[in-house]
Amino acid sequence: MLAVVLLGELMAVLDASVVDTALPSIQANTGAPAAGLQWIQAAYGLALALGLITGGRLGDRYGRKRIFLLGAGVFTAASLLCSLATGPTALIAARAAQGAGAAVMVPQILATVHVTFTGSARAKAFGLYGAVMSVGSVAGPVLGGVLTQADLFGLGWRSIFLINVPLGIAAVLLGHRYLTESRNRQALRLDPLGMVLSALGLLLIAYPLSAGGAHHWPWWTFTAMAAGLAVLVGLVFQQRSKTRKDGSPLVVLSLFSGRPFSGGLTAQLVLGLLSGLFFLCWTLFMQQGLGLSPSRAAIGFLLFTLAEIGGAWLAMSAVARHQRRAPQAGALLAVLALAVFHLLATTYGTNLSMTAMALPALALGLGLGMIGAPLTDLTLGRVGDAHAGSASGLFNTATHLGISLGVVLTGVVFFSHDPAATARGTDVVNAFTATLPYVIGGLLAMWALMFFLPRPAIPRTHRS
């Protein structure tokens, strides 16, 4: 059972990042502008983030196995449509459909793990989930670079989506055989108004951030973002009213009363945002700044992935004793690695070699691996079974919403240096170095947020 649900998680996470190293090839083949590149990434993440809470509710009400299989089927079909897209508009629409399928599938994974395992076994299962999520997010660019460069059967970048078809079929067939049905007999009703308000508020904020730079930030971009914030504030009041009326809000607000959950959820949102921002910029830096091919750029992601696996293993072996100190140490190590990245990029510019990047890439992977693996258990470990679906939906929402907003924010901190996304060499290097201070600041903020997570137990002393 665990292998099946982790396969579903791996597919969903891979497709959040698999297009990273393929974006220059997609742009050359489809003629996508800078905003189009961002939305090829962000459409998947936003559709996924907007539907995760509702997906969790559907699993609670109608059965997690049934909804997992439905989501996996939609995801697989949409992946096939992505591979057949002939232009950026069709590809963005198919990516949104992919995200919708993943939004139905993904919440069932954590909820199933939560209700199946207990005690130390649950902690280990959460650790494997965090490790798969971390590894998948950086293995995606490796896979995307290798497949794009290999140009299998002349398919080019299209093969990065076709690979989901056999994996998705395997997930459906194996899930039908090995998953057991589970549901919450007291599951809450659906909240259509809450769904509409949450989607509208986030879109009103995300779209101006992605399109504003290309239009030189006209008045409507700021008006739309202000309206989005107002809609989200209205969502909070609507959720409180819904709670008083029938106890079936889209978001179970009582979950936020726990410090580990609220602090860990916010830290996960920041982690996703920084991942979406940094890895897209790093991809463009390596390929358009340093002139590396997709397969050579994938080497950097491969080093990162190997180190992240090591960091996840190290953190999970230490978290039982050190609790929040393990991911906090990872955050500080990642800050140090990015500072070295900044120094190397400003010193060597377009002459920076992959060999010189190897050490900071390894350190960054080790640090982020120490964050991603234990953060799931430290955030969700104390949530009761009754709210497993809602809590897992919120946690995954924070992850994927952060990633998609991070990608969107590249329009503010990276593409503002080149709105057409056609720069090469020094201009791209300068844009990359301008992005790194934002990522470092976000890591320091995340380090502070992790003080809300469970603290290490203080050993008792006995007086003689």
Side-chain angles (χ1 to χ4, degrees), residues 250-444:
L250 179 68
V251 179
V252 181
L253 298 176
S254 61
L255 287 170
F256 293 92
S257 61
R259 284 168 54 92
F261 182 80
S262 57
L265 192 73
T266 309
Q268 185 68 14
L269 175 68
V270 176
L271 178 60
L273 189 149
L274 297 180
S275 298
L277 175 62
F278 174 76
F279 289 115
L280 176 56
C281 296
W282 192 28
T283 296
L284 297 174
F285 166 70
M286 287 191 290
Q287 293 190 53
Q288 296 184 349
L290 304 183
L292 301 179
S293 65
S295 59
R296 289 201 63 195
I299 295 175
F301 284 99
L302 179 61
L303 293 173
F304 181 96
T305 302
L306 294 174
E308 189 163 21
I309 294 173
W313 175 83
L314 179 64
M316 290 310 301
S317 63
V319 72
R321 177 179 179 183
H322 298 286
Q323 297 289 290
R324 68 190 184 200
R325 290 177 181 171
Q328 282 183 312
L332 295 180
L333 178 59
V335 166
L336 178 60
L338 289 174
V340 174
F341 255 123
H342 190 279
L343 177 62
L344 291 174
T346 54
T347 302
Y348 295 101
T350 57
N351 295 320
L352 181 61
S353 66
M354 183 62 69
T355 302
M357 282 195 293
L359 183 59
L362 289 169
L364 182 62
L366 185 65
L368 293 186
M370 293 173 64
I371 298 171
L375 193 54
T376 307
D377 181 45
L378 293 174
T379 304
L380 300 178
R382 300 183 182 184
V383 174
D385 288 352
H387 296 310
S390 295
S392 63
L394 285 168
F395 188 83
N396 281 292
T397 297
T399 303
H400 296 286
L401 177 61
I403 291 172
S404 58
L405 289 179
V407 172
V408 167
L409 284 174
T410 58
V412 179
V413 300
F414 187 91
F415 285 121
S416 60
H417 293 261
D418 177 46
T422 56
R424 293 291 187 274
T426 303
D427 290 338
V428 176
V429 172
N430 291 337
F432 178 69
T433 55
T435 301
L436 292 181
Y438 293 96
V439 183
I440 291 173
L443 281 168
L444 293 175

Side-chain angles (χ1 to χ4, degrees), residues 62 112 126 141 177 264 300 345 375 417 430 436 450:
Y62 301 110
T112 299
F126 276 152
R177 178 173 181 179
L375 193 54
H417 293 261
N430 291 337
L436 292 181
M450 283 189 265

